[in-house]
Amino acid sequence: MNKQRLLLAVSFLTRIPVKVPTPIDDTSLNEASRYFALVGGVIGAGLALLYCFLQSFLPNEISIVLLLAAGLILTGAFHEDGFADLWDGFGGGWSVSQKLTIMKDSRLGTYGTAALVLLLLAKYQQLMLLTVQVSWIVMALICAHTFSRAMATSIIGLLLYAQEDAQSKVKPVAQSLSVDGRQVLYASAGCVLLLMWLLGAFTLLQCFMLVGALWVTRLLCIKWFKHQLGGYTGDCLGAAQQIAELVIYGFCIQVWL
């Protein structure tokens, strides 16, 4: 494990103040993406601990709201911002050029606002359904934040990068992941899946079903982005992560309830 690349991944995906000891360049950012699933697991574990603390003295409804707020603060709403920008672009633009221009605009439009509200409401409702047992929330958060980032990151390099924007934060990452990089990414997610199986959260069949559900989600996202843009942008990756997170929560609800 490359500690410097891991710290860079933490700095990229979160607002946690970490000091990266080496200069940051395009290559190092691309190599750091292999640790996105691992960082996602840490984010999920941190939020799970926070929920365990909150629910000990607060009603579940308030605990979930504070949990969602903490997730937004911890990540700087990085992926949620991409999700909203994507809906603004896809909803308000007719041509690829128009869509890309709208997605680069920092202002939030009607489509993005509506999509973001519905997204947070969906997460709230899904997590509320899982409050039957504290262990369900804990495992769902860890699974969702790990696998969703692995799925979104795995799209890198499978499509052309559609936005020629030197200021785009994700552009240095939007290169083909090396074979080694994909192995680390999938191994991180695989270890979490193995842990869930050992803890009895999922049966072996359910593990395969979850992987299959994410594979279908990934395929649909790729087809959607290709149809709309002929490629993908950083906002597309953020949206893919959010969609995958909802899919995983939904899967957990179907399995455990």
Side-chain angles (χ1 to χ4, degrees):
M1 180 182 294
N2 189 313
K3 181 180 178 181
Q4 296 174 351
R5 299 294 183 263
L6 177 58
L7 289 175
L8 183 55
V10 171
S11 176
F12 188 83
L13 292 180
T14 74
R15 291 295 180 90
I16 298 174
V18 296
K19 184 177 181 180
V20 181
T22 57
I24 300 174
D25 54 28
D26 290 2
T27 301
S28 61
L29 278 172
N30 180 252
E31 292 178 355
S33 63
R34 69 184 66 184
Y35 297 111
F36 283 1
L38 180 59
V39 175
V42 174
I43 293 171
L47 293 176
L49 288 174
L50 176 63
Y51 175 76
C52 291
F53 171 71
L54 292 173
Q55 64 84 37
S56 65
F57 62 92
L58 290 175
N60 282 328
E61 293 83 356
I62 297 177
S63 297
I64 294 299
V65 170
L66 293 177
L67 176 70
L68 292 173
L72 294 174
I73 293 171
L74 179 61
T75 63
F78 185 40
H79 301 298
E80 288 82 359
D81 178 66
F83 182 84
D85 285 344
L86 177 137
W87 281 106
D88 271 338
F90 288 7
W94 291 97
S95 66
V96 172
S97 178
Q98 287 178 335
K99 293 172 184 177
L100 292 176
T101 299
I102 293 172
M103 290 165 70
K104 286 189 291 183
D105 193 333
S106 60
R107 292 170 296 182
L108 189 60
T110 302
Y111 290 102
T113 301
L116 193 56
V117 170
L118 291 173
L119 172 71
L120 293 175
L121 284 174
K123 285 187 183 182
Y124 172 82
Q125 187 59 45
Q126 287 180 316
L127 291 173
M128 277 299 300
L129 290 172
L130 292 169
T131 57
V132 176
Q133 293 188 30
V134 174
S135 61
W136 288 358
I137 287 280
V138 170
M139 290 184 288
L141 286 170
I142 295 173
C143 284
H145 284 276
T146 301
F147 300 139
S148 63
R149 284 170 175 79
M151 190 280 279
T153 308
S154 72
I155 295 175
I156 293 175
L158 298 181
L159 293 172
L160 295 176
Y161 191 63
Q163 187 172 5
E164 294 297 333
D165 181 5
Q167 302 304 315
S168 175
K169 183 179 179 182
V170 81
K171 185 176 180 180
V173 183
Q175 305 169 19
S176 296
L177 279 173
S178 64
V179 174
D180 179 60
R182 290 188 181 276
Q183 288 176 347
V184 174
L185 183 74
Y186 296 143
S188 300
C191 287
V192 171
L193 192 61
L194 177 62
L195 177 62
M196 294 298 105
W197 175 63
L198 292 174
L199 292 175
F202 301 126
T203 65
L204 190 59
L205 175 60
Q206 288 166 347
C207 289
F208 283 111
M209 289 173 64
L210 176 57
V211 172
L214 288 175
W215 184 85
V216 172
T217 303
R218 175 175 177 263
L219 180 62
L220 292 175
C221 283
I222 290 174
K223 287 184 175 294
W224 187 30
F225 302 154
K226 188 174 182 180
H227 173 72
Q228 292 286 339
L229 300 176
Y232 75 105
T233 68
D235 289 333
C236 293
L237 297 181
Q241 187 276 326
Q242 291 294 293
I243 292 169
E245 190 175 334
L246 291 179
V247 168
I248 295 166
Y249 291 144
F251 179 85
C252 291
I253 290 168
Q254 291 298 316
V255 170
W256 296 334
L257 289 181

